[in-house]
């Protein structure tokens, strides 16, 4: 079994990819629903599900053409089983399992965060197990110790909002679109450092936990203080964006360093949408040079949700458990909208 088709539909991106165990990533395609949800200021689950239904088969077709393969060449189908929006997950799970049944190949349910976590292994040079992973997405902020596929130990996580959520909620307060992480980061580049001072929540808590919910309240206070007739001048907006980004990144970088120190490991992997943040990358790169460890990032296009990471995680699972996966190929499926990464084991 060598060729794996990956299907990602957990939230607002339909991602499809073809991964070959020997030849690597052959093709991938993505449809982002950002424009569809923009006017609502957040993801509307029912619209997301319907759009996945529209996009999933044409994207599979596109990826097959791009990869120079036919459906009959596919040896296994990996789909995101969770966590995520249940209706959206059901589209990928349903299509993936039906295709697998029709082709008489196994379907491999994949944990979305495992996809993110392993995505830096798609790059060259790739990290080697064991490593520390900083998982920073729209819904999760976790530090994990990763000893192998399915061997994940939680070191610390957010007690409330995720880092991506902190970016998105602050961006909304500054009148940027949804999701606003990248826009806030772009605006921050025009901001002046030092004009404002926001809290760095739990920076000195002595553990590896995070808390970001207080930050948005502090941003809201700043915005209110500086708004005149509901408007805020361009430079002030940029200055607030700069300080917001600095506060989030300072905490993420400090806790990641503390995790490296605590575990004694020499490799840090950064995954998830916030991993695309340039300031975070610059700060971690600097620390890595100073302290003698290495940092690995997924390619920018694989930081946010995508099909490649699902095809790849499926491929690694297949490599590890081929007999078990082939055995279990009964094509029944379910989805897990809530699913703790730590409950995975090497043989799942
Ligand atoms: O991993 P992801 O695509 O989706 C989830 O699984 O949640 O992450 C999306 C999150 C959003 O909160 C988005 O604002 C944030 O990643 N993000 C960024 C940047 N690009 C995406 N945050 C900060 N800076 C960026 N450049
Ligand atoms: Zn994600």
């Amino acid at each position: 079994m060598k060729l794996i088709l990956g299907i990602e539909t957990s939230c607002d991106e339909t991602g499809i990819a073809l991964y070959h165990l020997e030849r690597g990533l052959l093709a991938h395609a993505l449809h982002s629903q950002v424009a569809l949800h923009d006017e609502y200021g957040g993801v509307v689950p029912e619209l997301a599900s319907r759009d996945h239904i529209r996009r999933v088969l044409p994207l599979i077709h596109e990826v097959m053409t791009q990869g120079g393969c036919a459906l009959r060449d596919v040896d296994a189908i990996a789909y995101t089983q969770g966590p995520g929006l249940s209706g959206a997950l059901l589209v990928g799970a349903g299509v993936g399992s039906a295709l697998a049944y029709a082709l008489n190949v196994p379907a491999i349910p994949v944990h979305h965060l495992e996809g993110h976590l392993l995505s830096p292994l798609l790059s060259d040079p790739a990290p080697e197990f064991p490593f520390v992973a900083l998982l920073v997405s729209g819904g999760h902020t976790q530090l994990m110790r990763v000893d192998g596929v399915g061997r994940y130990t939680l070191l610390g996580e957010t007690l409330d909002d995720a880092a991506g959520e902190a970016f998105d909620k602050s961006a909304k307060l500054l009148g940027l679109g949804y999701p606003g992480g990248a826009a806030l980061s772009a605006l921050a580049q025009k901001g002046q450092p030092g004009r404002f001072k926001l809290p760095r929540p739990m920076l000195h808590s002595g553990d590896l936990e995070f808390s970001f919910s207080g930050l948005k309240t502090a941003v809201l206070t700043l915005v209110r203080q500086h708004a005149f007739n509901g408007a805020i001048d361009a430079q002030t907006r940029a200055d607030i964006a700069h300080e917001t980004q600095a506060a989030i990144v300072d905490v993420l970088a400090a806790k990641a360093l503390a995790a490296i120190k605590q575990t004694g490991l020499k490799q840090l992997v950064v995954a998830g949408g916030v991993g695309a943040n340039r300031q975070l990358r610059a700060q971690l790169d600097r620390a890595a040079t100073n302290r003698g460890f290495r940092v690995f990032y997924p390619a920018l296009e694989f930081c946010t949700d995508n099909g490649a990471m699902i095809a790849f995680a499926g491929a690694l699972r297949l490599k590890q458990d081929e007999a078990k996966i082939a055995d279990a190929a009964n094509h029944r499926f379910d989805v897990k909208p809530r699913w703790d990464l730590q409950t995975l084991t090497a043989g799942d």
Side-chain angles (χ1 to χ4, degrees), residues 8 10 112-113 116 137-138 272-273 303-305 309:
E8 155 63 34
S10 68
H112 180 80
L113 295 181
H116 275 304
S137 70
C303 275
T304 43
D305 291 349
M309 67 182 194

Side-chain angles (χ1 to χ4, degrees), residues 144-214:
M144 315 276 309
R145 181 192 163 104
V146 180
D147 285 287
V149 177
R151 297 172 62 203
Y152 314 124
T153 313
L154 185 68
L155 301 172
E157 66 181 332
T158 184
L159 304 175
D160 40 55
D161 288 356
E165 229 172 327
F167 268 107
D168 294 342
K169 287 178 176 170
S170 306
K172 207 169 181 173
L173 293 171
L174 289 168
L176 302 165
Y178 180 89
L184 187 143
S185 173
L187 182 62
Q189 282 191 312
K190 298 180 194 148
Q192 284 168 7
R195 179 169 164 206
F196 299 115
K197 190 76 192 158
L198 286 168
R200 268 66 175 157
M202 298 187 70
L203 187 61
H204 302 294
S205 60
D207 54 26
L208 300 175
E209 312 290 339
F210 303 84
S211 165
F212 290 109
S213 68

Side-chain angles (χ1 to χ4, degrees), residues 4 43 92 102 107 164 168 196 209 228 277 280 312 314 317:
I4 294 97
V43 178
D168 294 342
F196 299 115
E209 312 290 339
F228 294 102
N277 187 272
L280 177 65
F312 182 61
R317 286 279 175 185

